[in-house]
Amino acid sequence: GASGLLGRALKKVLSNHHTFQILGLAYSRVHNGLHKLNLLDKPAVTQFVTGHHPDVILHSAAERRPDVSQSDPKATQALNVHATAHLAQLAKSTNAWMFYISTNYIFDGTAPPYHTDAPPNPLNVYGQSKLDGEIAIQDITDRACILRLPMLYGPVDFIGEDAVTTLAQSL
């Protein structure tokens, strides 16, 4: 997810630290030194991770569009759950720390503010897929951090890349 809105921002911030090497992976929009990798291609992902033996896997790739998730739940599950579980297994086998970007969509919005022990109740396929990704990670490795973000915004490559510009476009 290094070519997405969040991935680009993370790569920019982390690249300012010269104590470690950043290997950004992307499926589309592969430029600026990113490596092309399809997270659904398990053999290629396994080869990449075991070949580079990272200390940290920062997983920010996802099908994040609720409308697309609703219309293609199998593809959403493949990326948001199965690819996530595979990365968690690779993190465990290489003793890497896994950092997973999740969402507040795992909650139904009826009882904020939400704390780490709040019971999830996703209302759509996207929220359920991200919750299932969280559960998979927790079942596989204890060397992980899950961060639930409510919204992404920032410099965009195209108008539909974040919720704020998408809403502004519809006005």
Side-chain angles (χ1 to χ4, degrees), residues 2-14:
S3 66
L5 182 64
L6 178 62
R8 290 191 315 270
L10 289 170
K11 187 174 186 294
K12 181 178 178 181
V13 168
L14 294 173

PDB file of all heavy atoms in Angstrom, residues 2-14:
ATOM      1  N   ALA A   2       2.096   1.196  -0.404  1.00  0.00           N
ATOM      2  CA  ALA A   2       2.971   2.371  -0.317  1.00  0.00           C
ATOM      3  C   ALA A   2       2.632   3.452  -1.331  1.00  0.00           C
ATOM      4  O   ALA A   2       3.095   4.579  -1.198  1.00  0.00           O
ATOM      5  CB  ALA A   2       4.433   1.955  -0.480  1.00  0.00           C
ATOM      6  N   SER A   3       1.800   3.145  -2.335  1.00  0.00           N
ATOM      7  CA  SER A   3       1.441   4.179  -3.310  1.00  0.00           C
ATOM      8  C   SER A   3       0.113   4.842  -2.978  1.00  0.00           C
ATOM      9  O   SER A   3      -0.277   5.793  -3.640  1.00  0.00           O
ATOM     10  CB  SER A   3       1.396   3.591  -4.726  1.00  0.00           C
ATOM     11  OG  SER A   3       0.345   2.651  -4.831  1.00  0.00           O
ATOM     12  N   GLY A   4      -0.576   4.374  -1.958  1.00  0.00           N
ATOM     13  CA  GLY A   4      -1.842   4.969  -1.553  1.00  0.00           C
ATOM     14  C   GLY A   4      -1.638   6.221  -0.715  1.00  0.00           C
ATOM     15  O   GLY A   4      -0.517   6.598  -0.374  1.00  0.00           O
ATOM     16  N   LEU A   5      -2.738   6.850  -0.376  1.00  0.00           N
ATOM     17  CA  LEU A   5      -2.707   8.102   0.381  1.00  0.00           C
ATOM     18  C   LEU A   5      -1.922   7.947   1.684  1.00  0.00           C
ATOM     19  O   LEU A   5      -0.993   8.712   1.953  1.00  0.00           O
ATOM     20  CB  LEU A   5      -4.144   8.555   0.669  1.00  0.00           C
ATOM     21  CG  LEU A   5      -4.314   9.869   1.418  1.00  0.00           C
ATOM     22  CD1 LEU A   5      -3.782  11.037   0.609  1.00  0.00           C
ATOM     23  CD2 LEU A   5      -5.791  10.087   1.744  1.00  0.00           C
ATOM     24  N   LEU A   6      -2.260   6.965   2.485  1.00  0.00           N
ATOM     25  CA  LEU A   6      -1.560   6.753   3.749  1.00  0.00           C
ATOM     26  C   LEU A   6      -0.152   6.215   3.522  1.00  0.00           C
ATOM     27  O   LEU A   6       0.803   6.664   4.156  1.00  0.00           O
ATOM     28  CB  LEU A   6      -2.342   5.789   4.639  1.00  0.00           C
ATOM     29  CG  LEU A   6      -1.694   5.453   5.974  1.00  0.00           C
ATOM     30  CD1 LEU A   6      -1.528   6.697   6.833  1.00  0.00           C
ATOM     31  CD2 LEU A   6      -2.518   4.404   6.702  1.00  0.00           C
ATOM     32  N   GLY A   7      -0.001   5.263   2.617  1.00  0.00           N
ATOM     33  CA  GLY A   7       1.310   4.677   2.352  1.00  0.00           C
ATOM     34  C   GLY A   7       2.335   5.707   1.921  1.00  0.00           C
ATOM     35  O   GLY A   7       3.485   5.684   2.360  1.00  0.00           O
ATOM     36  N   ARG A   8       1.932   6.633   1.057  1.00  0.00           N
ATOM     37  CA  ARG A   8       2.855   7.694   0.621  1.00  0.00           C
ATOM     38  C   ARG A   8       3.282   8.564   1.799  1.00  0.00           C
ATOM     39  O   ARG A   8       4.460   8.898   1.935  1.00  0.00           O
ATOM     40  CB  ARG A   8       2.213   8.561  -0.463  1.00  0.00           C
ATOM     41  CG  ARG A   8       2.041   7.885  -1.796  1.00  0.00           C
ATOM     42  CD  ARG A   8       1.656   8.860  -2.903  1.00  0.00           C
ATOM     43  NE  ARG A   8       0.633   9.811  -2.552  1.00  0.00           N
ATOM     44  CZ  ARG A   8      -0.685   9.616  -2.711  1.00  0.00           C
ATOM     45  NH1 ARG A   8      -1.119   8.465  -3.212  1.00  0.00           N
ATOM     46  NH2 ARG A   8      -1.551  10.558  -2.393  1.00  0.00           N
ATOM     47  N   ALA A   9       2.318   8.913   2.650  1.00  0.00           N
ATOM     48  CA  ALA A   9       2.650   9.757   3.803  1.00  0.00           C
ATOM     49  C   ALA A   9       3.577   9.022   4.766  1.00  0.00           C
ATOM     50  O   ALA A   9       4.550   9.599   5.264  1.00  0.00           O
ATOM     51  CB  ALA A   9       1.367  10.180   4.517  1.00  0.00           C
ATOM     52  N   LEU A  10       3.306   7.764   5.019  1.00  0.00           N
ATOM     53  CA  LEU A  10       4.162   6.981   5.920  1.00  0.00           C
ATOM     54  C   LEU A  10       5.566   6.837   5.344  1.00  0.00           C
ATOM     55  O   LEU A  10       6.559   6.993   6.056  1.00  0.00           O
ATOM     56  CB  LEU A  10       3.550   5.608   6.184  1.00  0.00           C
ATOM     57  CG  LEU A  10       2.303   5.592   7.055  1.00  0.00           C
ATOM     58  CD1 LEU A  10       1.650   4.214   7.028  1.00  0.00           C
ATOM     59  CD2 LEU A  10       2.630   6.011   8.479  1.00  0.00           C
ATOM     60  N   LYS A  11       5.647   6.522   4.067  1.00  0.00           N
ATOM     61  CA  LYS A  11       6.953   6.366   3.432  1.00  0.00           C
ATOM     62  C   LYS A  11       7.755   7.661   3.507  1.00  0.00           C
ATOM     63  O   LYS A  11       8.946   7.648   3.808  1.00  0.00           O
ATOM     64  CB  LYS A  11       6.807   5.909   1.983  1.00  0.00           C
ATOM     65  CG  LYS A  11       8.120   5.554   1.304  1.00  0.00           C
ATOM     66  CD  LYS A  11       7.866   4.979  -0.077  1.00  0.00           C
ATOM     67  CE  LYS A  11       9.131   4.495  -0.722  1.00  0.00           C
ATOM     68  NZ  LYS A  11      10.107   5.523  -1.033  1.00  0.00           N
ATOM     69  N   LYS A  12       7.090   8.787   3.291  1.00  0.00           N
ATOM     70  CA  LYS A  12       7.773  10.086   3.346  1.00  0.00           C
ATOM     71  C   LYS A  12       8.316  10.345   4.752  1.00  0.00           C
ATOM     72  O   LYS A  12       9.478  10.721   4.914  1.00  0.00           O
ATOM     73  CB  LYS A  12       6.809  11.197   2.942  1.00  0.00           C
ATOM     74  CG  LYS A  12       7.416  12.575   2.950  1.00  0.00           C
ATOM     75  CD  LYS A  12       6.406  13.617   2.501  1.00  0.00           C
ATOM     76  CE  LYS A  12       7.018  15.010   2.556  1.00  0.00           C
ATOM     77  NZ  LYS A  12       6.057  16.035   2.148  1.00  0.00           N
ATOM     78  N   VAL A  13       7.510  10.126   5.763  1.00  0.00           N
ATOM     79  CA  VAL A  13       7.943  10.364   7.145  1.00  0.00           C
ATOM     80  C   VAL A  13       9.052   9.391   7.536  1.00  0.00           C
ATOM     81  O   VAL A  13      10.075   9.783   8.096  1.00  0.00           O
ATOM     82  CB  VAL A  13       6.749  10.239   8.120  1.00  0.00           C
ATOM     83  CG1 VAL A  13       7.214  10.195   9.557  1.00  0.00           C
ATOM     84  CG2 VAL A  13       5.787  11.393   7.915  1.00  0.00           C
ATOM     85  N   LEU A  14       8.857   8.111   7.237  1.00  0.00           N
ATOM     86  CA  LEU A  14       9.841   7.103   7.635  1.00  0.00           C
ATOM     87  C   LEU A  14      11.146   7.219   6.866  1.00  0.00           C
ATOM     88  O   LEU A  14      12.207   6.866   7.381  1.00  0.00           O
ATOM     89  CB  LEU A  14       9.249   5.699   7.483  1.00  0.00           C
ATOM     90  CG  LEU A  14       8.082   5.383   8.414  1.00  0.00           C
ATOM     91  CD1 LEU A  14       7.460   4.046   8.057  1.00  0.00           C
ATOM     92  CD2 LEU A  14       8.511   5.419   9.870  1.00  0.00           C
TER      93      LEU A  14
END
